[in-house]
Amino acid sequence: MQVKTITQTTQDMIDRRKRVVSDGVGIFAPTSAVRAEGAVFYDAEGREWLDFGAGIGVTTAGHCPPTVVAAIQKQAEQLIHACFHVSSYEPYIALCEKLVEILPHGDATKVMLTNTGAESVENAIKIARQYTGKSAVICYTEAFHGRSMMAMTLTSKISYKEGCGPFAPEVYRLPFPNVYRRPKGLSEEEFVQTEIRRLHDIFENTVPSSDVAAIIIEPVQGEGGFNIVPQAYFEALREVCDQHNIVLIADEVQSGFCRTGKWGAYEHYGLVPDLSTWAKALGSGMPIGCVIGKAHIMDAARPGSIGGTYPGNPVCCAAALATLDFMEKENLNARSVAIGKLMRTRFEAMQQRFPLIVGDVRGIGAMMAIELVRNGDPHRPSYDRGDVFIKGCWGQGLMVLVAGVNRNILRVLVPLVVTDEQLNKGLDIIESELEKIND
Ligand SMILES: Cc1ncc(COP(=O)(O)O)c(C=O)c1O
């Protein structure tokens, strides 16, 4: 069925939007989307865009995968809403069973469903507090955890939260162990050891461990610019949490579901968090997320203290089940690794060609980024050229997104159904735009 629209052009749409939609709902890119399939979408002018952003990491299984569309249609004909607090229904339970199977958190695992990433984070904090009977939460610089009040408090970047306070109390922030931007003269290992000491010191100089309910960290930061938690640091975090009865929460909202070549990025570390938060790719665009965790911690939440009217809506659950099924059948984890390899090879070649502007190439699996700097210096982020670069890519029909406090990190979140030909086409565009800003 064709969606009827009175909008003729992208500009018309943006003009209408500006008249009736709050400016607070920011516009990242001046484009429109009318329909989409696989790794491309089409704007109001019918122009094809190669999508290296996936609606911020959501359409990992591709735009409108036919089996997901069919599952949504079928479920919508049968049951759209019941509210899981009121009546139990199959898709919610089946989805939790599937999540427990693919993402076990120790011997016994339980799940609660949510609508969004921020909601997953809010609930994980509530569960951790009820389990430990403690209140403080430790988070990180360059973190992004969402826009609801606790999630926004945990988020680092000021432009997301300016003027929205007062924020939630009892939140403490550690510097993210950003290896690329480590102080000059420190080796990677020395730097990581310094940050581990800082982690231990926080209980001496900032908040006692007896007050701390949770530490929340993104194994690979999303909005922060695909900064990867060093192995030794994650191991230290696990130890510290065990030692002090602190709940370790891995926020996998952006890194989860095949993006890094595994279901969760934490799996690369050979350790298991106590709780983890998810959303985005799970529903292929339908609003669904979850908290997964050790059963005894999940069960510490008192009945009625987590949940809501809509979380785990039957149609969203059907979409999520079909998405996970598709990811498994198409082996998107393996595809993610292959995409990552291709991207890394191309990005490293670009770094060799433009060593002064491509400061860093990093990522796990298909969660790859390049950091744009001045004069090859990690401490001189190239904000203005990042903007010129991204606009150049848009001009060539490539949807790319930037990340990082300084908006100088190109992050790729391409749908994993992308073909090698499409991938190389997008990377050619990136290379040609880097050439233009190279000086
Ligand atoms: C790591 C992480 N956590 C939480 C969120 C918030 O998710 P949502 O926008 O679905 O609330 C995001 C969104 O980008 C994210 O990247």
Side-chain angles (χ1 to χ4, degrees):
M1 190 186 75
Q2 205 61 32
V3 177
K4 274 205 180 142
T5 169
I6 55 163
T7 299
Q8 297 303 310
T9 67
T10 297
Q11 195 52 53
D12 289 339
M13 217 186 271
I14 291 173
D15 291 344
R16 281 172 56 207
R17 168 180 174 150
K18 284 191 170 156
R19 278 195 290 276
V20 291
V21 179
S22 162
D23 287 347
V25 186
I27 303 180
F28 295 162
T31 185
S32 59
V34 173
R35 69 184 178 86
E37 60 186 330
V40 300
F41 69 91
Y42 298 89
D43 66 16
E45 286 77 17
R47 183 179 178 218
E48 183 180 296
W49 285 76
L50 183 50
D51 191 2
F52 271 28
I56 320 193
V58 169
T59 56
T60 303
H63 285 281
C64 305
T67 52
V68 176
V69 173
I72 292 169
Q73 287 168 337
K74 191 166 169 234
Q75 184 57 47
E77 281 167 15
Q78 197 177 322
L79 180 73
I80 295 179
H81 180 77
C83 182
F84 202 64
H85 297 291
V86 177
S87 301
S88 297
Y89 48 84
E90 171 66 21
Y92 191 117
I93 299 163
L95 179 57
C96 293
E97 283 170 349
K98 185 71 198 167
L99 290 165
V100 163
E101 175 202 316
I102 63 173
L103 287 159
H105 282 42
D107 294 339
T109 306
K110 284 198 173 182
V111 184
M112 70 156 303
L113 300 181
T114 67
N115 297 295
T116 66
E119 202 183 314
S120 302
V121 168
E122 296 282 340
N123 281 290
I125 301 296
K126 287 191 290 184
I127 295 166
R129 283 180 166 166
Q130 292 188 80
Y131 172 69
T132 58
K134 304 192 268 181
S135 60
V137 182
I138 295 174
C139 58
Y140 285 87
T141 57
E142 302 173 90
F144 186 87
H145 296 292
R147 293 180 175 84
S148 55
M149 222 48 197
M150 173 50 94
M152 183 181 264
T153 307
L154 298 168
T155 289
S156 170
K157 192 171 170 177
I158 298 302
S159 63
Y160 282 122
K161 53 200 277 192
E162 203 170 357
C164 296
F167 297 107
E170 287 305 303
V171 170
Y172 302 89
R173 196 174 303 280
L174 276 167
F176 185 87
N178 185 328
V179 170
Y180 177 59
R181 294 208 199 161
R182 68 186 180 274
K184 283 182 184 144
L186 271 192
S187 74
E188 207 172 306
E189 206 192 327
E190 286 165 342
F191 169 70
V192 173
Q193 287 311 317
T194 310
E195 294 310 305
I196 291 174
R197 272 197 298 281
R198 201 197 294 271
L199 166 65
H200 288 284
D201 287 350
I202 196 171
F203 304 124
E204 305 302 327
N205 59 27
T206 308
V207 57
S209 60
S210 54
D211 283 357
V212 180
I215 300 181
I216 182 164
I217 194 161
E218 297 156 82
V220 183
Q221 287 190 321
E223 304 301 302
F226 293 11
N227 308 309
I228 302 166
V229 178
Q231 175 75 33
Y233 191 91
F234 217 156
E235 284 171 13
L237 255 186
R238 183 61 279 178
E239 272 173 35
V240 161
C241 288
D242 287 341
Q243 195 182 345
H244 298 290
N245 186 33
I246 295 170
V247 173
L248 177 57
I249 305 171
D251 185 347
E252 294 271 4
V253 169
Q254 197 154 147
S255 53
F257 300 115
C258 307
R259 180 52 55 193
T260 67
K262 291 191 184 284
W263 291 118
Y266 75 78
E267 293 179 280
H268 292 278
Y269 292 84
L271 51 80
V272 184
D274 299 307
L275 299 178
S276 55
T277 52
W278 311 77
K280 289 196 186 278
L282 177 58
S284 290
M286 296 297 279
I288 186 155
C290 62
V291 182
I292 305 177
K294 296 188 167 140
H296 66 286
I297 301 180
M298 294 294 289
D299 281 341
R302 279 176 272 289
S305 65
I306 56 176
T309 306
Y310 296 113
N313 163 280
V315 182
C316 295
C317 289
L321 279 162
T323 298
L324 295 177
D325 187 56
F326 179 84
M327 285 172 164
E328 262 179 342
K329 286 201 174 117
E330 297 297 317
N331 201 352
L332 288 195
N333 277 318
R335 181 65 188 141
S336 175
V337 173
I339 288 170
K341 269 197 190 132
L342 195 156
M343 272 199 282
R344 186 178 288 279
T345 306
R346 293 281 320 258
F347 281 151
E348 284 176 355
M350 292 179 212
Q351 189 179 28
Q352 286 208 327
R353 249 190 101 187
F354 314 115
L356 298 185
I357 53 168
V358 181
D360 195 26
V361 174
R362 60 174 174 263
I364 309 182
M367 193 167 182
M368 288 293 301
I370 56 175
E371 180 149 356
L372 301 179
V373 296
R374 288 201 169 271
N375 213 21
D377 184 347
H379 301 283
R380 291 183 65 197
S382 183
Y383 167 73
D384 45 342
R385 283 188 302 183
D387 246 22
V388 173
F389 164 78
I390 202 166
K391 283 184 183 139
C393 291
W394 294 342
Q396 294 200 58
L398 177 70
M399 176 49 68
V400 283
L401 303 169
V402 284
V405 175
N406 300 295
R407 295 174 43 78
N408 67 316
I409 297 154
L410 162 73
R411 57 167 157 170
V412 180
L413 289 164
V414 68
L416 301 177
V417 295
V418 70
T419 63
D420 281 358
E421 194 190 345
Q422 288 172 318
L423 195 57
N424 276 313
K425 184 178 157 198
L427 292 164
D428 288 345
I429 293 173
I430 289 172
E431 186 159 3
S432 70
E433 292 302 325
L434 284 176
E435 196 169 359
K436 289 184 197 158
I437 58 164
N438 188 38
D439 52 38

